[in-house]
Amino acid sequence: MLHRRLTQFFILYAAGVGLLLAFKVALGLSDYVIPGPGEIWRTGQTYGAAYAAAVLNTLGVAVLGHGLSIVLAAAVAVIARLKDWIGGFIRTAAFNIQSYPIVAVAPILFILLGDGLATRLLIAALICYFPLLLSFLGVFSEPVREIEHFYEATGRMTWRLQIKIRAFENLQKLTTVVVGSATLAMVGTIVAEFIAATAGIGYSIRIALYQSDLAKILVALLLIGVGTSLWLVLLEGLGAALQRRMERP
Amino acid sequence: MLHRRLTQFFILYAAGVGLLLAFKVALGLSDYVIPGPGEIWRTGQTYGAAYAAAVLNTLGVAVLGHGLSIVLAAAVAVIARLKDWIGGFIRTAAFNIQSYPIVAVAPILFILLGDGLATRLLIAALICYFPLLLSFLGVFSEPVREIEHFYEATGRMTWRLQIKIRAFENLQKLTTVVVGSATLAMVGTIVAEFIAATAGIGYSIRIALYQSDLAKILVALLLIGVGTSLWLVLLEGLGAALQRRMERP
Amino acid sequence: MELEGQDIAYRYPNAAADLFEGLDFRIRGPGFHALFGPSGVGKSTLARLLSGSLAGQRGRLNARGMDRVLYTYNLERLPGWTTLREHFEETASASGRPRLETLLDTFDIRPLADARFPRLSLGQQNRANLVRYLLQEFDLLIMDESLANVDEATRHRILLRIKALFPERCFLYISHNVAEVARFCGDVLVLRGHPKRPPLVVVPGGDQREGAEPDPARLERAMLAIVHAA
Amino acid sequence: MELEGQDIAYRYPNAAADLFEGLDFRIRGPGFHALFGPSGVGKSTLARLLSGSLAGQRGRLNARGMDRVLYTYNLERLPGWTTLREHFEETASASGRPRLETLLDTFDIRPLADARFPRLSLGQQNRANLVRYLLQEFDLLIMDESLANVDEATRHRILLRIKALFPERCFLYISHNVAEVARFCGDVLVLRGHPKRPPLVVVPGGDQREGAEPDPARLERAMLAIVHAA
Amino acid sequence: APREGVEEIHYRLKWLCNVSTVGDLYALEKGHFARAGLRVNVKPGGPERDALKELELGHAQFGVASADQVLRAAAKGAPLVVLAQLFQVNPLQWIYRPDKSPFREPADLRGRTVGVTFGGNDETILRALLARHGIAEGELRLFSVRYDYTPFYEGRVHFWPLYINAQAPIIGERLEKAGEPIAFLDPHRWGVRFVANSVITTREMLRQHPRTVSRFLAALLEAWREALDPANEEAAVQVLLAADRETPEAIVRRQIPVTRRLMVPEPPAAFGRIDEAAWRETEEILRVQGLIERPVDVRSLFAENLP
Ligand SMILES: Nc1ncnc2c1ncn2[C@@H]1O[C@H](COP(=O)(O)OP(=O)(O)OP(=O)(O)O)[C@@H](O)[C@H]1O
Ligand SMILES: Nc1ncnc2c1ncn2[C@@H]1O[C@H](COP(=O)(O)OP(=O)(O)OP(=O)(O)O)[C@@H](O)[C@H]1O
Ligand SMILES: [Mg+2]
Ligand SMILES: [Mg+2]
């Protein structure tokens, strides 16, 4: 699994870089527009170790942010699933806030929360929670009549039970979304670092952009890809194990 | 519906601005950190019309980008749902690309595609397609045995039919996600404008950010919120109509 | 205890015509009664109206001492995350819990008590579902084809035991098995297809009890009456 | 045409013991046969093995002229986006299409032809599902409680019509209704619970045809034999 | 925990750690702050950061901001005090290829495409330059600049803004390697004096802790002076390399002399000198372009009689 994922990623990455280089050769672009393979290689050697450490750093925050956004999305979805005014209000809030670009909201967040880890985590979580929210909302607001009827009829239905039933019946869908949203946590963290950190791979990318150094960016993308692949494989393993446990006969 | 959505949004917005102003008064902050109501009002009068036009401009691109990303997500999900190597490959590709922050990839996109509308649309679509993909993937890869059995048994199953069955059975979930992802298209477009446009509300926000002009940002957020609300209500109406049509007895 | 319907009518939203109208009936408890009629005539609909899980009927429904009406149908599922026993114990009412062990034997699902619902066979699913309803408090339990996928021997044993275990309750049994309905039920409410008048007639059934033998002649008569009415 | 099983055994993954083992049987076509047995004994499992929708059995299955085996069960659903008629017309095989109108009448669903599946009553759903299978090409059709929720009169009419319309095909009918199985089926394969040996016995049924009256004595005998075997 | 008698202070920079912050880093590394009895937390800035807001909110006690930020804030009533002016010459310049788009005087901009960050101070500076030399905006094309240099590399944009001390050595080296001649348009040479980074604190801080302010400022300016002293260049390089692992040593060695030229006034002892005339000019540019709504008395911004 891990092996396959990584192989696939390397093929993909090689194809991407190959395409860029082909462009370079075809249009006769000079090294400052698209760096040559030699420069990419040298940059990798020089910055590889430091960037790998930065990616690990970022991954750490991303894992936290992902957890936070799962909790956040679940909480919001549970309320927003209600058909009444409060539910509509929370839905409106969640949807509208999402349409604000984080860069526009970030200054306000910094004003309100300061610039500790909290703000960075929150930015990462805000970027990652919304797709989770959408799926949770879809799953949590669709009744499973054949199971719920009994609890309704006997007056035993609670909102927690309802959520549990619907989540369980859609376990596979939820696992797909939760695992997939991990990559969003990654990008969320990187963006947060990009805006306001002094560590992590997002910070390195920021500097590389400032220095107009595409070779560095390509090295960073490689390491982000490897890090993400590792994390996804881990999460998928966990998801599959959970599903097996929950669905055992 | 529209009325309620807008009311809810205005309450929300007023609460947000109220909170900021409370902060201002409590800490005795200058107009530079948090603008006073008078300045917000004047800014609204001065820039309101121009910003509203910019929001409309952005909405137009967002609608296109949303459509594009629905098509993209559906296409990727249809392939990625396969259990074989190709499916895994596409999944890896889709997931890994998603973990790249768009700011890091944008320079490469500009090199490859130039900085016309195409690039902007693509960035908007890239930001918005992934949550769609996750949900589509979840829905498309979970069999509906009671319906599919017949087609499997009689050798009539095609991939298109399979998708159709699974999509239809999960119509409500899909509608939720498609409607909800519209706001992501909005934010995607704004980010694209932020990175590389000379029009649209994202561009205006960028200038306001450079000028540290929170009043302008607040006016922009108000108009984005109104625009998004209108669009969401429209989409929800469409979604509900479609669902009624599809599920009529 | 009694549930009386006067001039009951119902039309599905979007439907062009009433599914039924002018229904008059009286379900008297305690007792084990049946609701019978051809497929599609509206039995499930009427049952859901009686239990309140469907609303919108016209006419008057009067309940006297029959307030807790439960409706169960054969497609219901138990949650997949617990074993049957855990589910039963969690959901049983205080008064129902002591009955659990007896019911496990009556329904022949003791060997399945530690299994989870999704892997059960159809008949096993039917039985597990019915057991949990019998652990509840109720005045009237409407069983909509609840034992349709259970073999006859087990089903008959179950019906007789239910009648013995719950002498104070009222049941409305929906089934397509004429012989069974005629043999085990008190009143058989026969819902009739469209042009027939009156739309509902009541035929007395054999109402056989545990240990008693059915009277073949009476049974034959009841069966004929039911088939004739439907 | 013939489907023969020798020493068939099956165990569910994760299960502690074989569900059944040492099954020997022969299903001869053309003909209308039954698979009978108590709930949970493994009828559905065996049917899915025969049709190939479940794999992993031990022993040997030999088909002679019985290659197209279809399995249908009563929980199947039709897609919700078309009317019944559209679905039937879309999915019918070339040879099946001419039978459509006859089947609509036989199954009494002509008035529902323009309705969509989800709003049908249970028995209507059963019938719609079976109709589409009868529009297919097949050598053997296994019907797993496919008419379980249809009223007796309609069901009997349907069974007789099927036998008349498909004299060249083979059917395996799974039902819990002893009387019906004994009356309409040729061979009744009785699958027996665990300790009993042999695990499967074949009892000849009444095999009644359209227009012919059942022979009460023969039927009585068949019923007793089946009940005794199960 | 801070030692007895040591004050904890937050100092927010304008940008990420690079050559423009060498003195700040030097002060930290070489113990200038510590010797002044201060425990300073030097916090790098960033794109969406605003040191002035943090000062007002009390998240920081000192900060670095550009003059346009300061004037904008002052015009809106922010209670700020300018303690020292770091850059004597604004480092913002435009890179161009003299062979393809030669530049002898501002009139040569006519018909060219010039990159600006809309809303950024490069836009303000360019507009001031155009106004000063009587060039109408319609006579050239403005190109919206963001992260990516490709439009300049591809020759679609002729003049591209950058920081001459930090970015030019990097970008320049790359173009030189490709054999392309480069040159820089310096608005300062063409009469636009637009003040860049300064060290700022709040009025309240100055009133309540005047001694802390003067100790901080003295330590900081001393550190800057030493860091930019050619004699200490090796030490400055090492300090920078330790803080900024992303810039190669060779580049850092080229960045420092450029920075020195922009920052060190005559005489060198007056490091941090506040150029009041330049501030006036900056204020006027902002006012003329409508970027501040009311005039600011620049004198009132400057700290007087520090103990
Ligand atoms: N996936 C599974 N894993 C383990 N055991 C299973 C699984 N599916 C079914 N069983 C068990 O296998 C046995 C046979 O099931 P099957 O559905 O074949 O019975 P059946 O004869 O069709 O019963 P019914 O008449 O109630 O439909 C049952 O006891 C059931 O609990
Ligand atoms: N939502 C609906 N809208 C319109 N018609 C409906 C709807 N639900 C059911 N019907 C129709 O109402 C009629 C009665 O349905 P109902 O399920 O009550 O029948 P039933 O007597 O229980 O039949 P069966 O014995 O087959 O279960 C059927 O003809 C069915 O097609
Ligand atoms: Mg029914
Ligand atoms: Mg079965």
Side-chain angles (χ1 to χ4, degrees):
Chain A
M1 190 63 212
L2 173 59
H3 181 75
R4 207 175 72 172
R5 258 280 158 92
L6 280 180
T7 314
Q8 287 173 339
F9 169 69
F10 284 125
I11 292 176
L12 208 76
Y13 182 81
V17 172
L19 183 70
L20 267 182
L21 292 178
F23 233 74
K24 175 184 169 72
V25 172
L27 300 184
L29 299 175
S30 55
D31 279 354
Y32 56 76
V33 181
I34 297 177
E39 187 182 343
I40 299 177
W41 178 248
R42 273 195 309 282
T43 307
Q45 286 189 311
T46 314
Y47 293 96
Y51 277 21
V55 167
L56 280 184
N57 189 325
T58 302
L59 255 182
V61 181
V63 172
L64 273 181
H66 192 213
L68 184 64
S69 59
I70 292 173
V71 173
L72 199 68
V76 175
V78 165
I79 306 176
R81 138 201 84 99
L82 301 174
K83 290 261 172 289
D84 61 6
W85 205 90
I86 281 285
F89 186 74
I90 295 291
R91 249 193 330 272
T92 304
F95 280 40
N96 271 296
I97 288 176
Q98 182 52 34
S99 72
Y100 293 165
I102 203 72
V103 279
V105 183
I108 301 177
L109 287 181
F110 287 131
I111 289 178
L112 295 180
L113 296 176
D115 62 341
L117 180 69
T119 313
R120 250 138 68 203
L121 263 182
L122 189 64
I123 291 179
L126 278 181
I127 288 182
C128 155
Y129 101 110
F130 193 68
L132 286 168
L133 173 66
L134 285 182
S135 293
F136 287 4
L137 213 52
V139 164
F140 290 170
S141 47
E142 194 167 327
V144 184
R145 292 199 201 294
E146 301 95 63
I147 297 184
E148 291 177 20
H149 171 77
F150 170 76
Y151 295 100
E152 301 282 6
T154 59
R156 273 207 181 71
M157 187 57 97
T158 62
W159 65 266
R160 294 216 278 149
L161 189 59
Q162 200 181 57
I163 298 293
K164 188 172 174 185
I165 291 171
R166 294 176 186 180
F168 190 85
E169 283 293 303
N170 291 281
L171 211 53
Q172 190 179 326
K173 288 183 197 104
L174 291 180
T175 318
T176 306
V177 175
V178 165
V179 170
S181 68
T183 68
L184 286 168
M186 191 70 186
V187 76
T189 310
I190 295 178
V191 168
E193 289 167 351
F194 194 87
I195 296 177
T198 51
I201 195 71
Y203 168 75
S204 302
I205 288 178
R206 171 99 219 170
I207 293 179
L209 278 176
Y210 182 71
Q211 298 176 344
S212 187
D213 194 337
L214 197 55
K216 277 188 188 170
I217 290 181
L218 290 176
V219 171
L221 293 186
L222 173 71
L223 291 169
I224 292 174
V226 172
T228 308
S229 296
L230 292 178
W231 187 23
L232 279 178
V233 170
L234 187 76
L235 274 176
E236 274 172 354
L238 283 178
L242 177 78
Q243 223 164 331
R244 265 198 308 281
R245 227 186 80 87
M246 296 288 274
E247 284 178 350
R248 73 160 180 254
Chain B
M1 189 63 211
L2 173 59
H3 181 75
R4 207 175 72 172
R5 257 280 157 92
L6 281 179
T7 313
Q8 287 174 338
F9 170 69
F10 284 125
I11 291 176
L12 209 75
Y13 182 82
V17 172
L19 184 71
L20 276 179
L21 292 178
F23 230 75
K24 177 183 168 73
V25 172
L27 300 184
L29 300 172
S30 73
D31 281 356
Y32 178 69
V33 180
I34 297 176
E39 188 183 341
I40 299 178
W41 178 249
R42 273 196 310 280
T43 307
Q45 287 188 311
T46 314
Y47 293 96
Y51 276 21
V55 167
L56 280 183
N57 187 325
T58 302
L59 255 182
V61 181
V63 171
L64 273 181
H66 192 212
L68 184 65
S69 58
I70 291 173
V71 173
L72 199 69
V76 173
V78 165
I79 307 176
R81 139 202 83 101
L82 301 173
K83 289 261 172 290
D84 61 6
W85 206 88
I86 282 284
F89 187 74
I90 296 291
R91 249 194 328 272
T92 303
F95 280 44
N96 271 296
I97 288 174
Q98 182 52 35
S99 73
Y100 292 165
I102 204 72
V103 279
V105 184
I108 300 177
L109 288 180
F110 291 133
I111 291 176
L112 296 181
L113 297 177
D115 56 352
L117 180 70
T119 311
R120 250 137 69 204
L121 260 183
L122 190 64
I123 291 179
L126 278 181
I127 287 182
C128 156
Y129 100 112
F130 192 67
L132 287 167
L133 172 67
L134 284 182
S135 292
F136 286 4
L137 213 54
V139 164
F140 290 170
S141 46
E142 195 166 328
V144 185
R145 293 202 199 294
E146 300 95 61
I147 297 184
E148 292 178 21
H149 172 76
F150 170 76
Y151 294 100
E152 301 282 5
T154 60
R156 272 207 182 71
M157 188 57 100
T158 62
W159 65 265
R160 294 215 278 149
L161 189 59
Q162 199 181 57
I163 298 294
K164 188 171 174 185
I165 291 170
R166 294 175 187 180
F168 190 85
E169 283 293 305
N170 291 281
L171 210 55
Q172 189 180 328
K173 287 182 198 107
L174 291 180
T175 318
T176 306
V177 175
V178 165
V179 170
S181 67
T183 68
L184 285 168
M186 192 69 186
V187 75
T189 310
I190 296 178
V191 168
E193 290 166 352
F194 197 87
I195 294 177
T198 49
I201 194 70
Y203 171 72
S204 307
I205 286 179
R206 185 177 120 193
I207 292 178
L209 271 180
Y210 267 107
Q211 299 175 341
S212 266
D213 195 337
L214 199 52
K216 279 190 188 165
I217 291 181
L218 289 177
V219 171
L221 292 187
L222 173 72
L223 292 168
I224 291 175
V226 172
T228 307
S229 295
L230 292 178
W231 187 22
L232 279 179
V233 169
L234 187 75
L235 273 176
E236 273 171 355
L238 283 178
L242 177 78
Q243 222 163 331
R244 266 197 308 279
R245 228 187 79 87
M246 297 288 273
E247 284 177 351
R248 73 158 181 256
Chain C
M1 60 207 296
E2 193 177 272
L3 183 61
E4 192 191 23
Q6 289 177 346
D7 204 17
I8 301 293
Y10 184 75
R11 173 187 302 210
Y12 275 103
N14 303 333
D18 285 345
L19 177 55
F20 44 66
E21 38 132 6
L23 298 190
D24 294 305
F25 56 87
R26 174 174 294 155
I27 300 165
R28 270 175 319 244
F32 196 92
H33 307 301
L35 179 57
F36 187 85
S39 167
V41 79
K43 301 180 295 297
S44 300
T45 307
L46 180 58
R48 293 199 291 137
L49 290 172
L50 293 180
S51 71
S53 56
L54 183 70
Q57 80 278 13
R58 307 191 302 277
R60 291 205 300 144
L61 270 178
N62 302 315
R64 275 183 292 274
M66 220 187 249
D67 303 313
R68 288 164 304 177
V69 180
L70 289 180
Y71 169 71
T72 175
Y73 59 106
N74 70 334
L75 296 183
E76 281 183 85
R77 293 188 283 135
L78 274 62
W81 65 74
T82 50
T83 63
L84 299 188
R85 179 181 289 282
E86 284 164 359
H87 180 73
F88 292 150
E89 286 175 352
E90 250 166 44
T91 59
S93 71
S95 71
R97 191 157 299 126
R99 287 194 292 270
L100 175 55
E101 299 304 322
T102 318
L103 290 177
L104 287 181
D105 291 327
T106 304
F107 280 75
D108 210 6
I109 50 174
R110 186 177 292 283
L112 301 167
D114 292 323
R116 289 167 189 232
F117 187 79
R119 60 142 269 203
L120 301 186
S121 83
L122 214 54
Q124 291 167 343
Q125 295 188 340
N126 278 189
R127 285 176 274 158
N129 181 39
L130 194 49
V131 163
R132 60 178 181 166
Y133 277 94
L134 293 173
L135 295 172
Q136 307 303 314
E137 302 278 3
F138 59 87
D139 297 316
L140 169 61
L141 178 64
I142 308 179
M143 299 181 279
D144 193 350
E145 313 204 24
S146 289
L147 295 169
N149 309 99
V150 178
D151 59 279
E152 241 165 57
T154 310
R155 199 163 60 214
H156 289 180
R157 195 181 60 240
I158 289 173
L159 290 178
L160 289 173
R161 282 266 67 199
I162 287 181
K163 294 174 72 167
L165 284 169
F166 300 94
E168 304 298 309
R169 309 287 180 84
C170 186
F171 296 88
L172 190 64
Y173 183 60
I174 303 181
S175 159
H176 283 300
N177 195 318
V178 193
E180 199 172 275
V181 161
R183 180 166 154 194
F184 294 102
C185 300
D187 290 347
V188 179
L189 283 67
V190 181
L191 200 52
R192 310 166 83 193
H194 226 313
K196 296 187 190 157
R197 284 273 144 192
L200 189 150
V201 296
V202 180
V203 176
D207 206 3
Q208 188 197 335
R209 304 289 162 136
E210 216 170 21
E213 274 309 295
D215 167 1
R218 189 173 161 200
L219 228 132
E220 184 77 9
R221 240 179 303 130
M223 273 177 66
L224 279 177
I226 295 169
V227 169
H228 183 255
Chain D
M1 62 210 290
E2 192 177 274
L3 183 63
E4 190 190 25
Q6 290 177 346
D7 204 18
I8 301 292
Y10 183 75
R11 173 187 303 208
Y12 275 103
N14 303 333
D18 285 344
L19 176 55
F20 43 67
E21 37 132 8
L23 298 190
D24 294 306
F25 56 86
R26 174 175 294 157
I27 301 165
R28 271 175 320 245
F32 195 94
H33 307 299
L35 179 56
F36 187 86
S39 167
V41 78
K43 301 179 296 298
S44 300
T45 307
L46 180 58
R48 293 199 291 138
L49 290 173
L50 293 180
S51 72
S53 56
L54 182 70
Q57 81 278 13
R58 307 192 302 278
R60 292 204 300 144
L61 270 179
N62 302 315
R64 276 182 292 274
M66 220 187 249
D67 302 313
R68 289 165 303 177
V69 180
L70 289 180
Y71 169 71
T72 175
Y73 60 107
N74 70 333
L75 297 182
E76 280 183 85
R77 292 187 284 134
L78 273 62
W81 64 75
T82 51
T83 64
L84 298 189
R85 180 182 287 281
E86 284 164 359
H87 180 73
F88 293 150
E89 285 176 351
E90 251 167 43
T91 59
S93 71
S95 72
R97 191 157 298 126
R99 286 194 294 270
L100 175 55
E101 300 304 322
T102 317
L103 289 176
L104 287 181
D105 291 326
T106 304
F107 281 74
D108 209 7
I109 51 175
R110 184 179 293 283
L112 301 167
D114 292 323
R116 291 168 190 229
F117 187 79
R119 60 142 268 203
L120 301 186
S121 83
L122 213 54
Q124 292 167 343
Q125 295 189 338
N126 278 190
R127 284 177 275 158
N129 181 39
L130 194 49
V131 164
R132 61 176 180 167
Y133 276 94
L134 292 174
L135 295 172
Q136 308 303 314
E137 302 277 3
F138 59 85
D139 298 314
L140 169 62
L141 178 64
I142 309 178
M143 299 181 279
D144 193 352
E145 314 204 23
S146 288
L147 295 170
N149 310 99
V150 179
D151 60 279
E152 241 165 56
T154 310
R155 198 162 60 214
H156 289 181
R157 193 180 61 241
I158 288 174
L159 290 177
L160 288 174
R161 281 268 67 199
I162 287 181
K163 294 173 75 167
L165 284 169
F166 300 95
E168 304 298 310
R169 308 286 179 86
C170 187
F171 295 88
L172 190 62
Y173 183 61
I174 302 181
S175 160
H176 283 299
N177 195 318
V178 192
E180 199 171 274
V181 160
R183 180 165 155 194
F184 293 102
C185 300
D187 290 346
V188 179
L189 283 67
V190 182
L191 198 53
R192 310 166 84 194
H194 227 315
K196 295 187 190 156
R197 286 272 144 194
L200 188 153
V201 296
V202 180
V203 177
D207 206 2
Q208 186 197 334
R209 304 291 162 135
E210 218 170 19
E213 275 306 296
D215 168 0
R218 189 174 161 199
L219 228 133
E220 185 78 8
R221 240 179 304 130
M223 273 178 66
L224 279 177
I226 293 169
V227 171
H228 183 254
Chain E
R3 274 183 291 127
E4 194 71 24
V6 172
E7 289 178 64
E8 173 99 20
I9 274 174
H10 295 279
Y11 178 35
R12 171 67 77 188
L13 305 180
K14 177 157 168 25
W15 188 246
L16 308 171
C17 291
N18 69 1
V19 70
S20 295
T21 65
V22 60
D24 307 313
L25 300 170
Y26 198 89
L28 193 64
E29 189 62 28
K30 300 293 176 193
H32 291 76
F33 290 140
R35 282 195 295 280
L38 301 171
R39 211 173 114 97
V40 178
N41 182 7
V42 177
K43 302 197 283 187
E48 326 297 348
R49 289 247 100 109
D50 186 335
L52 300 181
K53 287 184 175 162
E54 296 196 14
L55 288 181
E56 235 190 295
L57 287 162
H59 297 326
Q61 285 72 46
F62 299 96
V64 177
S66 62
D68 59 322
Q69 281 180 306
V70 174
L71 290 165
R72 260 189 248 267
K76 289 185 177 172
L80 302 172
V81 181
V82 178
L83 296 175
Q85 177 178 335
L86 292 175
F87 282 101
Q88 300 298 318
V89 175
N90 196 313
L92 191 88
Q93 303 192 2
W94 272 262
I95 187 173
Y96 63 95
R97 295 181 175 86
D99 54 340
K100 301 207 175 94
S101 49
F103 177 88
R104 279 172 310 277
E105 51 173 355
D108 292 337
L109 289 176
R110 290 198 169 93
R112 298 295 186 192
T113 303
V114 182
V116 290
T117 316
F118 284 110
N121 53 14
D122 51 335
E123 182 192 0
T124 313
I125 292 173
L126 182 75
R127 286 187 195 284
L129 181 74
L130 297 181
R132 175 139 310 172
H133 296 274
I135 303 167
E137 207 195 292
E139 295 180 81
L140 46 75
R141 273 184 307 280
L142 297 186
F143 182 91
S144 177
V145 157
R146 198 54 178 165
Y147 309 109
D148 169 42
Y149 280 69
T150 313
F152 175 70
Y153 290 155
E154 290 174 344
R156 282 187 289 137
V157 178
H158 306 111
F159 294 84
W160 194 271
L162 45 57
Y163 286 98
I164 189 73
N165 63 328
Q167 284 168 298
I170 303 173
I171 311 294
E173 188 194 56
R174 217 165 280 149
L175 287 160
E176 281 164 7
K177 223 190 258 170
E180 301 217 26
I182 51 166
F184 299 92
L185 185 177
D186 179 5
H188 192 83
R189 265 206 58 208
W190 298 97
V192 177
R193 287 193 298 169
F194 194 89
V195 179
N197 294 357
S198 298
V199 181
I200 314 292
T201 190
T202 58
R203 283 198 185 290
E204 194 188 353
M205 180 77 192
L206 186 57
R207 197 176 59 245
Q208 292 184 349
H209 309 282
R211 303 200 162 278
T212 308
V213 173
S214 60
R215 286 204 323 264
F216 174 83
L217 187 61
L220 185 69
L221 294 182
E222 177 61 26
W224 268 104
R225 214 165 14 239
E226 286 179 24
L228 291 179
D229 186 337
N232 298 326
E233 184 161 324
E234 191 53 40
V237 167
Q238 292 314 321
V239 164
L240 258 183
L241 287 177
D244 171 15
R245 298 177 188 284
E246 310 269 349
T247 311
E249 185 176 335
I251 299 286
V252 169
R253 289 186 187 283
R254 287 176 62 176
Q255 286 174 329
I256 287 184
V258 187
T259 307
R260 182 183 300 132
R261 281 200 296 281
L262 298 169
M263 282 193 172
V264 180
E266 290 298 328
F271 190 90
R273 183 175 67 100
I274 295 175
D275 181 348
E276 192 180 322
W279 275 88
R280 278 218 178 77
E281 193 178 325
T282 306
E283 192 263 355
E284 193 190 326
I285 290 172
L286 292 176
R287 198 156 30 80
V288 167
Q289 294 189 20
L291 296 172
I292 51 178
E293 283 176 4
R294 56 168 170 271
V296 176
D297 171 15
V298 296
R299 282 197 78 110
S300 73
L301 295 175
F302 305 148
E304 280 157 23
N305 48 33
L306 280 175

